[in-house]
Structure formats: C-alpha cells, structure tokens
Amino acid sequence: MRYTAARTRRAVIRLTMRLQEGLEEATRRPDRGDISTTTVIIWVAAVTGAVLIAGTIAIVIAKYNGKLNGL
C-alpha cells in the first residue's frame, strides 16, 4: 500500500512539474504554432466531403446491387 502511495505521489509531482513547465513555455512564447481556425475549417470541410462522397457511392451501390451482379 505504501509503495502504491509513493508511486502515485511521484506521478502527481511529475505531472504537476510538466504542467508548470508547459505554462511557463506558453507564457514565454505565446505563438507556439497553434492550428489556425482556417485550417480547422478546411479539414472539417474535406472530411465532410469525403464522407458525403463515400455515402453517396454506398447508396448507389446498394440501390443498383442486383443490376451490377451481371457485369
């Protein structure tokens, strides 16, 4: 039990120190290369378009599946 408590304490200390270092880095360098809003919009549009195209193809194949068997 004491071993688990010691490991947990060390893990919490490491995480706290890592978080503090990250916050200090963010304060020192506010522009860390974060993803811009435009990039997020482009990715969402691309993924949405791909899902729509794949869905349309699946619907067409399901609808005409019997007719496509003879090809």
Side-chain angles (χ1 to χ4, degrees):
M1 182 92 164
R2 292 171 63 180
Y3 178 71
T4 304
R7 287 183 66 189
T8 304
R9 178 174 160 68
R10 283 194 301 267
V12 168
I13 289 172
R14 266 188 261 129
L15 286 172
T16 304
M17 296 209 37
R18 178 69 179 123
L19 179 62
Q20 187 177 12
E21 290 171 0
L23 290 173
E24 289 172 0
E25 177 75 14
T27 303
R28 194 165 38 96
R29 291 186 329 148
D31 182 20
R32 300 179 313 277
D34 292 337
I35 297 175
S36 69
T37 305
T38 306
T39 304
V40 172
I41 291 170
I42 291 170
W43 273 102
V44 168
V47 170
T48 303
V51 168
L52 287 174
I53 291 169
T56 303
I57 292 171
I59 290 170
V60 168
I61 289 175
K63 184 175 180 181
Y64 295 105
N65 194 22
K67 296 179 183 179
L68 293 174
N69 283 337
L71 294 178

